[in-house]
Amino acid sequence: MAPVNTTLYLDHAATTPLRPEARDAMAPFLEAAFGNPSGIHAVSREAKAALEDGRERAAALLGAAHPLDVVFTGGGTESDNLGVAGPSLASGGGVVTSAVEHEAVLETAAFLGRLGKSVTVVGVDANGVVDPAEVASAVGPDTAVVSVMTANNETGVRQPIAAISAAAREARPGVLIHTDAVQAFVSEETTIGSLGADLVTLASHKFGGPKGVGLLHVRRDIHLEPVLHGGGQEIGRRSGTHNVAGIVGMVTAMEAAAKDRDRFRTDVLVARDTFEARLSAAAPEVIFTTPVEQRLIQHSHFRVPGVDAETLLIRLDGLGVAAAAGSACHSGAAEVSHVLLAMGLDQKAAGSSIRVSFGWTSRPGDGEAAAAAVVECVEALR
Ligand SMILES: Cc1ncc(COP(=O)(O)O)c(C=O)c1O
């Protein structure tokens, strides 16, 4: 395959390059150690040992009470489906969620609504933040699960998830809390204790692991209706032959990301802050969607009034710079972001917004280079 001519990758929120540690750890399971971990012979036992070792390592990193509290899935979307639909379908109860969730949560909630479950979607303030008191007042006697993300994939805005959990539990002791921590894990220490959640979604490809694999933390005492029915793997919570290479790669990337977090935070913060300072200086009309304090350190989200997002992105691509508008997690159609509309932006402002997201391969100097490229394009388009 011919190499892609991108020199500056600023779309880590969409996906990240594979970490070399993850690739090396996966290699044996793509070749000689190809076994199905559900069998009894030696080839299977080798795969089973890697799977259970991965489960223990993931559980330790998350501060889970038991390795079996980790369910391996086919990615963030599947984990969100299981984390939201699982408790609702098992108990018959409803869902409380927020207007800025990823589609994997919102569409699952909508599906549950079509099945007759109660679904409440709470709004956000102008910075995209959910009010814990509003969640608490939406929780009713039939609420099975509250699902609010740890941080948003488009804006990077972080939610007060521990306060949301506490307020929801006060409103209804025993209500389950699900959080999608897909974007946060790479830069924030993410443990079950610090989140105060019962169910936590992670997606491997957002922190340097392979695509198509994820996990859901779910305590063993929580009754879930599976979303994939079949052979009963993962103690009946997720059927399907395990993606052993993917799981080994994901867990290795989790460990590498956790080990790399301090370095990541230092480099990415310099890159992101330099980018915003240089861009503001050269194009003072730029509007950052939220203050930096609200965001994960790797996200920048802005618009330049009068400059269309898609046109800017195409120009940037021409310079070998990869950035995004809205959410790149869905199938390519240029839709106006539901997240930005929920924050009160009008269609025009939402349609001019751009996301620049740094990641584990970013270096401090990338902020300067990113700003130079954006400024060059903005000046041409003004
Ligand atoms: C916050 C969030 N949740 C869920 C997903 C879906 O994860 P996956 O691509 O692994 O299905 C994504 C991105 O793709 C995301 O950014």
Side-chain angles (χ1 to χ4, degrees):
M1 209 174 4
V4 176
N5 191 20
T6 289
T7 51
L8 189 55
Y9 185 73
L10 302 172
D11 200 14
H12 286 260
T15 196
T16 55
L18 190 64
R19 293 185 190 254
E21 302 92 319
R23 185 196 53 225
D24 293 350
M26 290 170 75
F29 300 95
L30 296 168
E31 293 171 7
F34 61 86
N36 181 333
S38 300
I40 55 163
H41 47 67
V43 185
S44 282
R45 288 199 306 274
E46 182 182 34
K48 171 87 174 161
L51 175 68
E52 296 313 327
D53 175 62
R55 197 186 305 282
E56 280 175 24
R57 287 156 57 201
L61 277 166
L62 288 173
H66 194 281
L68 287 174
D69 294 351
V70 171
V71 176
F72 292 120
T73 69
T77 299
E78 190 191 318
S79 295
D80 281 346
N81 273 256
L82 183 58
V84 175
S88 170
L89 294 174
S91 69
V95 180
V96 172
T97 187
S98 92
V100 295
E101 298 303 304
H102 190 273
E103 289 83 350
V105 166
L106 285 175
E107 291 301 323
T108 301
F111 165 69
L112 293 167
R114 292 195 292 278
L115 295 183
K117 315 290 177 213
S118 79
V119 175
T120 308
V121 180
V122 300
V124 292
D125 67 14
N127 284 329
V129 180
V130 175
D131 179 358
E134 216 177 309
V135 172
S137 57
V139 169
D142 79 327
T143 306
V145 61
V146 170
S147 181
V148 177
M149 68 205 318
T150 312
N152 187 266
N153 44 300
E154 293 182 41
T155 59
V157 167
R158 299 149 76 228
Q159 299 296 347
I161 189 68
I164 290 169
S165 305
R169 289 202 178 105
E170 204 179 309
R172 182 169 180 255
V175 71
L176 295 173
I177 313 295
H178 169 255
T179 190
D180 174 329
V182 162
Q183 294 288 334
F185 183 83
V186 73
S187 60
E188 309 250 313
E189 188 162 344
T190 305
T191 63
I192 304 310
S194 63
L195 295 168
D198 307 288
L199 302 126
V200 178
T201 289
L202 291 189
S204 158
H205 70 112
K206 307 291 183 169
F207 48 81
K211 294 167 185 58
V213 58
L215 66 78
L216 180 70
H217 172 277
V218 44
R219 284 197 324 274
R220 286 147 303 143
D221 61 307
I222 294 173
H223 182 44
L224 290 185
E225 177 64 33
V227 295
L228 294 183
H229 300 89
Q233 288 90 341
E234 296 294 284
I235 43 174
R237 296 172 297 182
R238 196 276 182 182
S239 289
T241 301
H242 291 96
N243 173 4
V244 180
I247 291 165
V248 168
M250 170 172 69
V251 173
T252 306
M254 279 176 81
E255 289 173 339
K259 209 168 132 202
D260 187 35
R261 256 194 213 117
D262 287 346
R263 195 274 321 155
F264 179 106
R265 291 188 64 85
T266 310
D267 287 1
V268 165
L269 202 56
V270 172
R272 200 269 313 262
D273 288 352
T274 307
F275 170 69
E276 296 198 354
R278 297 285 187 274
L279 179 57
S280 303
E285 72 272 37
V286 66
I287 298 168
F288 292 100
T289 312
T290 65
V292 280
E293 308 77 61
Q294 306 279 358
R295 286 183 256 141
L296 294 173
I297 60 164
Q298 61 267 35
H299 281 247
S300 187
H301 197 275
F302 62 93
R303 61 187 186 277
V304 181
V307 175
D308 173 65
E310 216 176 307
T311 315
L312 179 55
L313 290 174
I314 292 167
R315 277 206 171 240
L316 284 170
D317 188 39
L319 296 179
V321 177
S327 160
C329 299
H330 47 86
S331 46
E335 286 167 31
V336 176
S337 152
H338 68 280
V339 173
L340 302 179
L341 296 179
M343 291 165 67
L345 270 70
D346 61 24
Q347 297 266 344
K348 196 158 174 237
S352 345
S353 295
I354 299 274
R355 175 184 73 188
V356 158
S357 52
F358 297 93
W360 75 267
T361 54
S362 300
R363 291 295 169 255
D366 288 358
E368 190 86 52
V374 172
V375 168
E376 184 181 326
C377 295
V378 165
E379 280 172 354
L381 292 169
R382 261 199 202 118

